[in-house]
Amino acid sequence: MDNRADVREFLMSRRAKITPAAAGVVGGANRRVPGLRRSEVAALAGVSVEYYAKLERGAIGGASAAVLDALADALQLDEPERAHLLDLARAADGVPSSGRARRRATRPAAPRPSLQWALAAITDGVAFVRDQHQDLLATNPLGRAFYSPVIGDGGRTPNLARFQFLDPAARDFYPDWDLFAEMCVAIMRAEAGRDPHDKGLQDLVGELSTRSDTFRRLWGAHDVRTHGAGTKRFHHPVVGELTLAYEELAITAEPGQVLMVYTAEPGSPSAERLHLLASWAADAAPATHAGRDR
């Protein structure tokens, strides 16, 4: 897959975001483009205008690490954006950062029993595993209760991106829906840069672009980010509002998969509500199993 269009749009979008003042460039009054001119980026990066123009046309293959680093400095890229630029360059060189051949669209594999045991051992927080396609692959019991609006009653593997953009219930579950939407797309954009040949991700992007105007607009912005750590607000239909801290941990045995853990500050109202949700889940489980045994 040729990633020149992604490279071109990413570089152009970053260049458009920087004002001459922020870059320390003295600019003319009548600027025809937002942000910096190509010549200004070239000067800041210490390359010729012709070479920068070539890079911005998408011909980034073969660019040295020093050039990429200078370009990232000139465009004032943050760490996720720098990583994305390197991923785009590796892909242009024909080397996916995953080190693996093109991945076909396949059904998610069942999690290993030992991974399921590890999830179940986390009892005071929401724990789940998702892959690079935003598929929710496995959860602990509290995670199943927490993500009940996402999991629903269907047999299809729950997908956090589909829920975000295609399910009206998402706007209730995520009080900061706009922020969540931006985060979701920026994480997916970073994944696409790491492996532009990922058929499953291509299919998901195509589906969401067709069905959601908001997704299509955010995807076109070319913003990237990693999840890492932070705080999010949720509104659960059973226990109400929850403010939870999250940590993302890479699962080294399964490249592309991450373990997410949401916890509440001890003694906080959110911690009390999380305990209430755990009790609700425990009470609901016997009824569910009894129904299956009939």
Side-chain angles (χ1 to χ4, degrees):
M1 177 182 165
D2 190 335
N3 74 338
R4 283 180 293 184
D6 284 340
V7 173
R8 180 176 64 252
E9 291 165 12
F10 177 67
L11 291 178
M12 290 177 64
S13 67
R14 298 312 94 178
R15 177 165 62 87
K17 280 193 166 187
I18 305 174
T19 64
V25 172
V26 178
N30 298 318
R31 303 180 70 89
R32 293 182 299 173
V33 295
L36 297 180
R37 300 184 177 100
R38 288 191 183 93
S39 59
E40 292 165 341
V41 175
L44 290 169
V47 299
S48 69
V49 177
E50 292 77 12
Y51 184 60
Y52 176 72
K54 175 185 173 182
L55 294 176
E56 197 174 274
R57 287 196 297 270
I60 201 172
S64 69
V67 166
L68 294 174
D69 193 48
L71 186 56
D73 288 339
L75 294 173
Q76 301 181 12
L77 303 185
D78 60 20
E79 286 305 312
E81 290 171 332
R82 284 174 178 267
H84 186 60
L85 179 64
L86 293 176
D87 287 335
L88 291 172
R90 292 190 191 100
D93 288 335
V95 184
S97 61
S98 63
R100 297 184 293 173
R102 175 174 178 164
R103 291 194 293 267
R104 297 182 180 275
T106 57
R107 298 185 66 179
R112 297 185 309 283
S114 58
L115 179 57
Q116 199 70 67
W117 300 336
L119 287 170
I122 301 173
T123 56
D124 290 333
V126 173
F128 64 94
V129 174
R130 68 159 177 81
D131 63 12
Q132 66 273 24
H133 305 151
Q134 299 293 311
D135 285 328
L136 194 63
L137 301 180
T139 68
N140 66 348
L142 183 54
R144 281 194 294 276
F146 179 76
Y147 274 118
S148 57
V150 181
I151 296 171
D153 299 323
R156 189 178 192 180
T157 300
N159 183 275
L160 295 169
R162 285 194 185 94
F163 177 73
Q164 173 76 51
F165 291 99
L166 304 181
D167 194 326
R171 292 187 178 271
D172 293 327
F173 190 61
Y174 302 132
D176 305 310
W177 187 90
D178 291 334
L179 176 62
F180 271 63
E182 292 173 1
M183 291 175 62
C184 180
V185 176
I187 291 168
M188 291 175 64
R189 176 59 84 174
E191 293 286 359
R194 277 189 278 274
D195 188 354
H197 305 299
D198 188 327
K199 182 66 164 53
L201 189 55
Q202 291 174 25
D203 291 345
L204 178 60
V205 169
E207 175 189 352
L208 296 178
S209 296
T210 301
R211 301 178 63 186
S212 169
D213 292 339
T214 302
F215 179 88
R216 186 166 58 251
R217 174 179 57 80
L218 292 174
W219 187 255
H222 284 262
D223 291 332
V224 295
R225 66 166 291 161
T226 54
H227 217 142
T231 304
K232 293 182 180 179
R233 289 196 308 139
F234 302 89
H235 188 276
H236 195 276
V238 174
V239 297
E241 186 163 312
L242 295 160
T243 299
L244 303 177
Y246 64 87
E247 295 285 342
E248 178 183 279
L249 308 171
I251 300 177
T252 55
E254 298 290 345
Q257 293 184 12
V258 297
L259 168 65
M260 294 287 297
V261 181
Y262 287 102
T263 54
E265 180 182 354
S268 67
S270 291
E272 295 176 6
R273 292 171 187 147
L274 210 54
H275 286 308
L276 179 61
L277 182 61
S279 298
W280 174 82
D283 291 341
T288 299
H289 292 312
R292 288 175 182 167
D293 292 340
R294 289 194 186 95

